[in-house]
Amino acid sequence: AYLPPELIEQYQIAVIPHRIKVGSAIFEEDETLTADEVFEKQQALQTRDISKLPKLLPADTNTVLDIYQEVGRETEQIVSIHMSSELSGMWQEASRAADMMKGRYTIRVIDSLSTSYGQGLLVRMAAEAAEAGADVVEIARSVNGAVPHLYASIFAESLYYLERCTQIGPSQSLLGSLLGIKAMLMMEDGQLLPLEKVQTREDVVEKLHTFVVEFASIEGIGIVQHRYEETADSLVERLQESMPDVNIEIVPYPPSLACHLGPNVVGVIVYEGVY
């Protein structure tokens, strides 16, 4: 989840880190680990074996239990919001831990069907509701109601990475790489699905801009990028012209998402709001 440090501190949010496996080494996805470091560690392996790409691992059940128990020192109600279960096993581990703690705590485990900026918005929403006095049932109802209103469109250059998490086959990956084709992905029901292809960065800006402005109402936009700084800046400029009152944030590219998409990425996550 994209959560600024000051937000975590303000609401005392507990964060359960993923683990990133590169070769035989495993690293925690904390605030010090960057996507670039993951790619550098991967390049050092000097392998083209798709099974050796960085792998996203959830925290184990005992780690989740420990964090729930730590939080449980101050409350008997916990809302636990996780990266899309189609991309991560964290929701399953959290659900297992919550079942083991029935009778001691009331825990609602929520599948965000999103990640990064989208997941972070749900966490912020839950934290603000909790501070306002809402109970766990009210918070879960509100967050679950917001989940279907999160949308994402992402461009990724490395079709090689996408073979593992989308319907792109090895032959398409090789041909696309030779022709310089980038994949446009949509997140639907928590899955990353390839929809179309583009060849230039100008096309990327145009298609992402078109994707965003088709929404009738928008409460927030997050832009995720890796080595696409100028493209992201151009997209922000165009979006600000089209919708000057909407908050737009450029957010860090998390290693947990980088394991699926690889390097050289730009995308938008849109929250259209609940009315």
Side-chain angles (χ1 to χ4, degrees), residues 158-161 163 168-178:
S158 180
L159 303 186
Y160 176 55
Y161 272 73
E163 287 180 39
I168 293 175
S171 60
Q172 290 175 299
S173 172
L174 178 60
L175 181 61
S177 298
L178 290 173

Side-chain angles (χ1 to χ4, degrees), residues 61 64-65 68 80 82 85 89-102 107-111:
T61 306
V64 181
L65 283 170
Y68 283 170
S80 193
H82 301 282
S85 60
M90 190 74 88
W91 178 84
Q92 288 87 346
E93 292 293 335
S95 296
R96 188 176 296 115
D99 285 341
M100 294 169 66
M101 303 191 80
K102 278 184 177 177
I107 304 176
R108 291 292 185 273
V109 181
I110 296 174
D111 185 349

Side-chain angles (χ1 to χ4, degrees), residues 26-45:
I26 295 179
F27 308 89
E28 275 204 347
E29 188 190 26
D30 58 20
E31 66 278 358
T32 66
L33 184 68
T34 67
D36 275 324
E37 287 175 330
V38 172
F39 298 138
E40 287 167 6
K41 296 176 191 300
Q42 170 63 26
Q43 289 170 358
L45 295 177

Side-chain angles (χ1 to χ4, degrees), residues 122-152:
L122 299 179
V123 175
R124 180 192 293 267
M125 182 184 302
E128 291 174 348
E131 186 176 61
D135 65 22
V136 67
V137 175
E138 294 168 326
I139 295 171
R141 184 186 304 120
S142 176
V143 172
N144 281 321
V147 167
H149 298 270
L150 288 167
Y151 302 87

